[in-house]
Amino acid sequence: MAEKAEGKPKKNKVRWADRRRVPEEGLERFEEYLQTYSRNRNHPVKILFSFYKGTQAKLLKACAYLVLQRSPVWVIPIVTSNIINAATNRSADAVEIILFNLLIALVFIIQNAGTNYLATREYAGVNRGIEGSLRNAMVRKLQQLSIMFHKEVQSGRLQSKIMRDVENVTELLNQVFRTLFFFVLDISVVVVITLQKSPVVFLFFVVVVPFAVLTMRAFRRPITEKNREFRDEVEHTQGAVAEMLEMIPVARAHGLQEVEISKMNTYLNRIVNRGYSLDLINALFGAVNWVVFQAFQVICLAFTAYLACKGEISVGEVVLYQTYFGSLVSQISTLINIYPQISKGLESVKSIGDIMGETKVEQNNSIVPLGELKGGVEFVNVDFKYPDSEKWVLKDFSLKVEPGESIAFVGDSGAGKSTVLNLLIGFIPPVNGKILIDRINMVNLDLNEYRHQIAVVPQNTILFSGTIIDNIAYGLKDVSEADVWEVIRKVGLEDLVEKLPEGLHTQLGEHGDKLSGGQRQRISIARALIRKPKIIVFDEATSALDSVSEKKVQEATNEMMKNCTTFLVAHRLSTIQNADRIAVMKEGHIVEIGSYEELMEKKGYFYELKSLQS
Ligand SMILES: Nc1ncnc2c1ncn2[C@@H]1O[C@H](COP(=O)(O)OP(=O)(O)OP(=O)(O)O)[C@@H](O)[C@H]1O
Ligand SMILES: [Mg+2]
């Protein structure tokens, strides 16, 4: 991205057309998922099936491999039965029969290794594909959702949807697909073979199998309950650990380490206790399960042995039914046991819908092309209130700003200054009235085209973990180091950067933790300046800066106001002396407007504020 300053500095010119190309990867599936979610809002099963759209051929192949993979399970009991019969009958061709059956068994067993692999290759490919494209689609959708949506929804919840919910869905697809398929296969094979060989045994199965399963199930319920409790506890503790980590500097600063340790201990002890009782109950019910299963096995054995005594079935078939009985019981109980997993997966399918089905998408009409922005802005009778509140934050707000003009907003906290800036960026649309950009109503603009020509320095500086140059040149393709140095000089950071061992390529740490508040803010200003925007929107941080930093930020701000239309929210009145006009705001209105000198002369509200600060 960046080249050395002494090399040929490339001009920072990225054509709009180059930037607006939407990344193709996953776009097609994205549209499909959107439709699926809007059509089947409350039918997670339908949604789940629609994920498989277009993968039918692969799934069919997977099913074929799965049948082959599973076949030894049905064949081995038959082979065993044949071999035992041959051994007990001691007929002349017994050895031949044994060898023949052995051969058959070996063939079925050996092919399993290959088909197992092939089956997994097919359906895991499909499922992993769904996992990837689902996450891709969610990321895409999150980038489209309005800033209001993101302000309302906790980012932790969104993260968990992208990571955990999608994981649950993949697990559901992987596990359930296989388990259900094997269930259907096993049951059908056992039913067909048993019915054909001995209807009496079949009847026995019909009566006894559900009974065995239900008994086992009855003992399972408390375990599920305990497991859930344990998981809840672990999740709580996870939250507490995260909070503790975040609070470490605060706790240390107040000498409260002991308090934190004992707070954590409460959680940790609860996990220990819950975990211990879970282990106990697991062991107990594992044992009960085993007892029930074995008891029914023996009953089945006695019953079939009795039939064999009466000559109704052969001795080999006793073994055959013994195995089939076991397989029936375990298949049905597996199915019952994966039920919680199924419902968890389906919950996750719905939970993903909170993103994919969300309608608060940023309106982007792009009816009128903006072309090159000149920087004229006009608010015409704008009213605004937040959706969940009754109070009008702005009422009948009008303001005309000429290209190149700098305008500063001052006023009490909560007066609506940041709101004006958010309207200007298009984060929130006016409820009534309109905003004109170069005389074009903003609702008719392509917001992306517009925003590529403005720059924003938000009230809370947002830096990411990366180098200084990464943070300043964020999102720009062709930026030379010379360009970066130029803006660094403009914001007065050259002393700092020159002293750093790795200069521009110094890592900033998470959220730029290695910089001071004032330095972070100047990086943010540099990020705005390097874009050579036509409009700059600067929401000054409320946090106090030391006088040196303040002076430097002020110089950077002056630099900013030189070349473009500037909207500046200032908390330090000294910052705004150079602004062309100052708008004094109170409860959503402009109460005074004029140059610094004019307002001071007027001795009105601004004068009052100013004398309060000095
Ligand atoms: N997301 C929101 N939902 C509901 N009300 C909001 C929201 N954001 C801000 N407000 C309200 O809107 C009003 C104006 O807020 P705004 O952030 O514009 O004030 P401000 O002038 O920038 O204040 P400050 O100087 O403290 O930054 C405040 O009363 C605030 O409580
Ligand atoms: Mg504000």
Side-chain angles (χ1 to χ4, degrees), residues 384 391-397 410-417 420 584-591 605:
F384 180 80
K391 199 185 102 195
W392 288 99
V393 176
L394 295 181
K395 192 80 193 148
D396 202 20
F397 182 90
V410 297
D412 301 333
S413 182
K417 306 179 296 289
V420 171
V584 186
M585 289 192 64
K586 199 173 184 179
E587 290 167 12
H589 298 278
I590 295 179
V591 286
Y605 190 49

Side-chain angles (χ1 to χ4, degrees), residues 229-281:
E229 279 174 23
F230 182 69
R231 216 185 40 237
D232 280 355
E233 203 58 58
V234 170
E235 272 171 22
H236 268 122
T237 311
Q238 223 167 349
V241 170
E243 200 175 284
M244 180 197 76
L245 291 177
E246 223 166 84
M247 288 287 289
I248 278 183
V250 182
R252 190 69 54 85
H254 295 86
L256 293 174
Q257 296 95 310
E258 301 304 322
V259 177
E260 287 289 321
I261 293 173
S262 64
K263 203 162 84 184
M264 272 319 295
N265 273 345
T266 324
Y267 282 105
L268 298 178
N269 287 337
R270 267 209 300 250
I271 288 200
V272 170
N273 294 334
R274 285 259 156 87
Y276 182 61
S277 67
L278 179 68
D279 290 344
L280 287 186
I281 212 166

Side-chain angles (χ1 to χ4, degrees), residues 25 50 89 120 170 246 274 321 381 427 429 493 539 562 579:
E25 198 199 324
S50 74
N89 292 343
T120 309
T170 323
E246 223 166 84
R274 285 259 156 87
Y321 293 131
N381 309 109
F427 281 172
L493 276 175
D539 204 343
K562 270 186 200 157

Side-chain angles (χ1 to χ4, degrees), residues 24-37:
E24 298 270 328
E25 198 199 324
L27 193 58
E28 205 174 302
R29 301 255 29 199
F30 173 63
E31 303 290 345
E32 275 175 31
Y33 289 141
L34 281 186
Q35 279 183 11
T36 303
Y37 268 101

